[in-house]
Amino acid sequence: MKLVDFHSHTTESDGTSTPEQLVREAHAAGVGTLAITDHDTMSAYEQALPVAESLGIRLIRGIELTCKDAGQNIHLLAFFLNREPRPEFSGWVEEMLEGRRDRNHRLAKRLQDLGLDVRVEEAERHGRQLTGRPHFARVLVDKGYAATIREAFDRYIGESGDAYVQREAPTVAAAVHRIRAAGGVSSLAHPIRVTAGTEAMQREIIAGFAGAGLDALEAYHTDQTETESMRFVAMAEKFGLAVTGGSDYHGGNKAGAVLGRCMGGSRPIPEWIWLGLQAA
Ligand code: AMP
Ligand code: ZN
Ligand code: FE
Ligand code: FE
């Protein structure tokens, strides 16, 4: 039986595999349905499609967007199952890319204010279509300011790091509305990362997103345990949401993710999620 994977990244954002390589890796891993969900861009799809067709992989157009809601960064996945998004959508995505570029300049400035010799152009050299914090992390490691990518995030560019800067981002309600209008379905990425004091409070926040028109919950993810996955499956059912699952594969930029698998790479992503998503 073929595996499914609804969350993966390429070199068009902050993954380390090119779109074509990613499809080949997915095929080798036994994946039959793959959504590429780069941050803020859908440019990998066209590049990956010919290889996907030649290998018999069903390729799904996706994207991962960063929203600002409930006092935190919330990642939202969008899937366009049957057709490409309506044209207004790419204009809106372009605005988000602009917000990211602006953030990158402010981030570099903050690092410089801390006395680090890091320029935005150096991080840009690691990215193709866009530049993300993992690319800055690589520069910090290369220049000896941090021993590992993890340390670069912890000390400097992670949410608690000294150089962290906020980015312009839409609310979940606004993003969900845009995705719907463009002909797509939305899923709350790695819901375990929704930060709240208690599980009940986390549930309240997610209930609010459901009320705002969210379509699905990414119950299966590399960073979620079996117990957590079951909790999110039950939550999805309660709120009338579909369920999605993805590895969040970033190649060498994220340890532990295995294509087609969740729960630290230990379990296949259930194939049935595909049916629910089509009905969403
Ligand atoms: P950006 O979209 O440029 O703000 O970068 C966000 C990406 O950075 C996430 O999707 C992760 O891949 C990565 N990331 C965020 N926090 C960490 C962390 N603490 N350690 C390693 N990678 C991280
Ligand atoms: Zn990423
Ligand atoms: Fe994410
Ligand atoms: Fe991701």
Side-chain angles (χ1 to χ4, degrees):
M1 199 161 61
K2 293 284 196 198
L3 299 172
V4 302
D5 195 330
F6 283 83
H7 191 160
S8 66
H9 296 267
T10 74
T11 46
E12 294 297 298
S13 64
D14 55 1
T16 55
S17 306
T18 64
E20 188 178 325
Q21 281 165 351
L22 176 74
V23 171
R24 292 194 189 284
E25 289 172 55
H27 183 254
V31 172
T33 300
L34 175 73
I36 300 180
T37 53
D38 277 314
H39 303 277
D40 301 347
T41 177
M42 301 185 79
S43 54
Y45 180 85
E46 303 296 335
Q47 297 173 51
L49 193 58
V51 206
E53 283 178 342
S54 76
L55 294 172
I57 286 190
R58 181 195 286 128
L59 191 67
I60 290 162
R61 242 181 258 266
I63 190 166
E64 182 171 18
L65 302 170
T66 302
C67 301
K68 194 98 218 171
D69 215 312
Q72 56 195 288
N73 289 325
I74 301 284
H75 288 184
L76 203 61
L77 299 167
F79 303 108
F80 297 87
L81 303 178
N82 305 312
R83 58 179 142 78
E84 58 186 296
R86 296 208 175 82
E88 317 85 75
F89 192 73
S90 28
W92 183 62
V93 167
E94 188 49 49
E95 281 175 36
M96 281 196 278
L97 273 172
E98 197 46 56
R100 168 181 288 278
R101 287 183 205 112
D102 171 68
R103 188 279 313 261
N104 288 345
H105 281 97
R106 287 184 289 118
L107 179 59
K109 174 79 170 53
R110 269 293 260 283
L111 288 166
Q112 288 157 18
D113 290 347
L114 291 171
L116 279 65
D117 173 31
V118 172
R119 279 164 297 117
V120 86
E121 295 76 23
E122 295 173 298
E124 280 169 353
R125 245 172 261 144
H126 289 288
R128 299 210 312 185
Q129 191 72 15
L130 61 80
T131 303
R133 281 182 289 156
H135 302 126
F136 276 93
R138 220 140 11 119
V139 174
L140 289 167
V141 171
D142 288 349
K143 293 197 149 181
Y145 294 122
T148 60
I149 298 279
R150 197 202 155 99
E151 193 195 327
F153 272 92
D154 288 349
R155 281 185 68 179
Y156 297 112
I157 61 178
E159 279 176 50
S160 321
D162 293 339
Y164 183 72
V165 291
Q166 301 278 342
R167 170 184 168 187
E168 286 286 328
T171 60
V172 168
V176 156
H177 180 79
R178 290 274 188 172
I179 293 164
R180 183 79 63 87
V185 292
S186 58
S187 181
L188 177 64
H190 36 68
I192 194 67
R193 270 191 244 163
V194 174
T195 307
T198 62
E199 277 185 14
M201 287 155 81
Q202 185 187 58
R203 188 186 167 88
E204 272 312 295
I205 294 173
I206 297 173
F209 297 159
L214 180 73
D215 295 304
L217 213 52
E218 190 179 44
Y220 298 97
H221 184 274
T222 296
D223 300 340
Q224 288 161 196
T225 64
E226 177 164 18
T227 308
E228 288 161 351
S229 302
M230 290 307 113
R231 184 158 68 84
F232 291 126
V233 168
M235 210 185 276
E237 189 169 353
K238 180 85 179 164
F239 298 155
L241 302 174
V243 164
T244 71
S247 63
D248 207 356
Y249 183 76
H250 280 74
N253 279 347
K254 181 180 166 77
V258 182
L259 283 163
R261 298 182 175 270
C262 57
M263 303 178 201
S266 68
R267 297 276 283 275
I269 295 161
E271 204 196 3
W272 58 258
I273 63 166
W274 170 232
L275 296 170
L277 194 59
Q278 282 173 295

